[in-house]
Amino acid sequence: MAFAAGTRLGTYEIVGLLGKGGMGEVYRARDSKLKREVAIKVLPEGFSRQAEQRFQREAEVLASLNHPHIAAIYDLADSGNGRFLILELVEGDTLADRVARGPIPVNESLEIARQVAEALEAAHEKGILHRDLKPANVKITPDGNVKVLDFGLAKVLTDDDDGVDLSQERTVTIGGSREVLILGTPAYMSPEQARGSRALDKRTDIWAFGCVLYEMLTGRNAFTGRTVTDTIAAVLDREPDWSVLPETAPAAIRRLVRRCLEKDAKDRTHDIADARIEIGEVSREPVAPEVEPWPREDAQRVVVTARTAWALAAAAVVSLAIGAAGGARWWPVRATSPRSSLARLTIALPAGEALERGRFPPVALSPDGKLLVYAAAASGGRTNLYLRPLEDLAARPIPATEGASTPFFSPDGRWLAFYANGVLKRVSVAGGVPLTICEAPPVWSATWGENDSIVFATTLPSSGLWLVSANGGEPVPITTPKSDEAQHAYPQLLPGGTHVLFSVQRGNAWHLALLALKSRDWRLLGNGRVIGEGAQYLPTGHLVYAQSGGLVATPFDPSSGKLDQPPVPLLERVETSRFGGTYFAFAPGAGTLVYVPAGTAVAERTLLRVDRDGRVAPLIEARAGYEYPALSPDGRKVAVMITSVTGSDVWIIEVERGTRIRFTAEGASAFPVWGPDGSRVAFQSTASGPWNLFWKPLDGSAGSQPLLRMADSSPARSWPNTGTNLLPGTLPTLSGAGPQFPVSWAPDGTLAFHERKPNGERDIWVVSPGNDPVPFLLTPFDERLPRFSPDGKWLAYVSDESGRNDVYVQPFPGPGPKWLVSTDGGTDPVWSKDGRELFYRQGDQMMAVSAAPKAEFSASRPRRLFQVRFDTGDNGPTTTFHPTASGSSCREAIRGWPPKSFISFLTGSVR
């Protein structure tokens, strides 16, 4: 029986459908008595009385469970519409959502597994078996807490076994006509479940726990098949592919997974408490003590840690044995005598500087290990390259490298190459004017070989590797991704210059590959079973590459191309960009490794409200990784990006009640912008691959729809250095090489956004759903943050054409002159609801001008309203505050707040 929004079941009002399955339908509902939101599971029609009695008994048993990692059951109730369960409403991703984005780093996997084990242990102590544990039945809340769902309730189902459960995975059942017994989901069923045994015990949950842990660590199912029968056959007769378990996983954890997946229950781990204890002991061991946390909550401080010795793998085997599965492993050293000690250097960037955090590697080391170069931006501006001799105390900016990224050295260390302004360039380390090598799309990663050959990868979709002379010339394609491959990247020209080591992206995983330059033939290393990216070959005869959030090393012979020994872990946590790419670099000739240690948590922030006098109060009590909030037109909701350890998504918060609902779930999503009538939200997302713009109706009546149609980005087209494709006789079209950021929606449905060009500057574009994007400002300057006036006739924006960031206004769609609004610099322009004021940010000061946008624009002298810390997030591309209307609409939006208030929503780091 389906219920429409607004239907009342006793004291509960249906808000919307969460999902449906064989056990019935699950709804989000509002508890009018206790003023909270709950989940309601409505039993299917036609249940027998015997089944209802069993359901009653099980609900009573489950009600006795009170554990922080088990979703609670509040009540079993009746109404005129039937019998239903009232359950705890758990917000957040399911573990299935998280695994769909790829393998989970080892430490994060262990923390999730520990909480799941605690939940199972609490249930087993009460004599309750789950019988259907799987990633879809595990939720991770935005603050990282794990909740296990559907304990014991999976035993009873209707005869409609063609239905799907809330995970959209089939659950296999057996039984009679009206009630049946669920055996479990095929990929997670124990062998005894698969054989139809009714004498199950807690070891069947331990098997499922092993499947879940394996899937978290590898990003794939332990047992798969084309059909349900094939999957069950794999459970009964085949072993998982143990080779894909990350070598960064401690040996004790790899053994635990094997023991949980013993097919004979007598040989399997007998008690989930044993697994919990094992995980706890491993988690308490200092895996990588040299890694210092990157304090994400402080955007002004970025730590780069360098470890100086012979190449890390060689140094380790000379001074100590590296622990590996089966005991210690010794590797021969094929190089000069290493230093006998390890030294560590931590570099804190100056205040106001932050490393470039795109997909480009922001650090590079000279081959002799004496020079460090990094790409950083000051106060949210364009990037520059900085040179720091490791023996000095300070770095200096390299002239003429504005907007630069992807630094890499020549083999002799005398030249530095980089990408900027649509051009691959080189500059002498001793100083001088940068020289052009070639024009190119945004370069993702590159390598400079002994014979002055450069191989590089670009960010264009389905891009292969390119070859160009370091002395200049036309780039030549040398690889083309196959139909099942998304990208080729991270090239390294091996000694001798005849082969290139690189990485191939297939789905969510990266594989190592080797290319012969002469024949252009290439193959995956280890028969495609080696999962990792960014491999670098060391003179010691080893490969070091990124895997599962850390670094591993393994012996490698370039002459044979064999990679058949399992790697050993070197570092547990290395920072990885959300765009892809791991932040590390080697100086193979000196044994110096530089890397950015990964942060251990996402900064918690809160949403605040501020009146015109600067009085601050929390908007809601809950804290999370809030970034880039946007206020709905009626002032009652906030769309906000929430970043967690599992990724980023857009959520909708109801201001008055403080509740929040997930709005996006596919890919990573960010930067929400409300439509003019509040019925839809535009946002940036990776749902279809590279970052693009989408919109979605608020009521969920349709899925996410792309807003942009990109230009053809085939290699045959020219590569302009302006960031746009200007073809004779045509309008400019988006290249799609850089990300787009939605900013403002006009009353007629036109969306204004800016696109980041390859040189780091931005251009302003507009688009209406179903139409092609049209440029508004394409100049050599950095123009961004376009904000429509309430009547849609004016566009405020930020430009650096004066040499600093200032706020300007132009008529839309034009033509017409522009007006300079700010007098001493400014950014983040936002109009008042009536269009009579224009607010902007000058540092931490909120400024305002009185505006008269009539036939011609005029504005008063700026005045300071208040000063408060603004947290602009990691990338700072969009506005972080929004004014409400004054008077009654303000009182309706936030009760108890003074009328005529200017309300500002911003994110502030919680210390």
Side-chain angles (χ1 to χ4, degrees), residues 4-239:
T7 302
R8 299 196 65 87
L9 302 177
T11 60
Y12 302 96
E13 180 181 348
I14 298 296
V15 174
L17 180 67
L18 291 175
K20 61 175 62 177
M23 280 298 297
E25 297 174 336
V26 181
Y27 295 87
R28 178 187 292 268
R30 175 72 177 166
D31 183 348
S32 60
K33 181 185 295 183
L34 298 179
K35 307 299 182 184
R36 63 180 177 180
E37 289 203 337
V38 298
I40 285 185
K41 179 176 286 188
V42 181
L43 299 186
E45 293 181 283
F47 254 44
S48 67
R49 180 172 180 80
Q50 181 183 1
E52 290 191 359
Q53 290 173 347
R54 178 185 295 175
F55 203 81
Q56 170 76 35
R57 288 195 302 270
E58 291 191 2
E60 291 171 356
V61 172
L62 289 169
S64 68
L65 287 176
N66 182 16
H67 194 273
H69 300 312
I70 297 176
I73 292 181
Y74 297 147
D75 198 3
L76 178 63
D78 295 280
S79 74
N81 292 308
R83 177 167 265 200
F84 55 93
L85 283 166
I86 301 94
L87 310 169
E88 177 186 2
L89 179 64
V90 182
E91 304 282 12
D93 280 337
T94 67
L95 185 54
D97 297 330
R98 176 63 182 87
V99 172
R101 295 195 283 265
I104 302 176
V106 173
N107 277 8
E108 185 184 340
S109 294
L110 295 185
E111 176 57 23
I112 295 171
R114 179 190 63 78
Q115 296 184 52
V116 172
E118 288 182 0
L120 289 177
E121 185 178 0
H124 290 176
E125 288 176 352
K126 295 284 188 177
I128 302 172
L129 305 183
H130 194 294
R131 294 182 175 89
D132 199 21
L133 180 67
K134 56 188 176 183
N137 282 339
V138 177
K139 274 210 167 185
I140 307 171
T141 66
D143 59 3
N145 189 44
V146 171
K147 292 276 190 176
V148 179
L149 314 178
D150 289 346
F151 263 93
L153 297 183
K155 290 197 301 181
V156 181
L157 190 64
T158 68
D159 57 358
D160 178 17
D161 67 346
D162 289 329
V164 292
D165 63 16
L166 296 182
S167 70
Q168 303 303 307
E169 297 177 86
R170 182 176 294 278
T171 301
V172 175
T173 65
I174 62 172
S177 58
R178 299 304 298 176
E179 66 175 275
V180 293
L181 182 68
I182 291 182
L183 294 176
T185 302
Y188 309 94
M189 288 194 306
S190 65
E192 54 269 29
Q193 279 181 294
R195 295 187 181 96
S197 172
R198 292 176 179 264
L200 301 178
D201 59 26
K202 57 189 177 183
R203 289 172 294 183
T204 199
D205 281 349
I206 292 171
W207 171 279
F209 174 82
C211 292
V212 171
L213 181 53
Y214 178 97
E215 190 167 341
M216 285 193 290
L217 293 171
T218 65
R220 61 176 68 180
N221 289 115
F223 303 97
T224 59
R226 297 183 62 183
T227 66
V228 170
T229 301
D230 292 337
T231 301
I232 293 175
V235 168
L236 294 174
D237 300 324
R238 291 193 288 274
E239 288 291 313

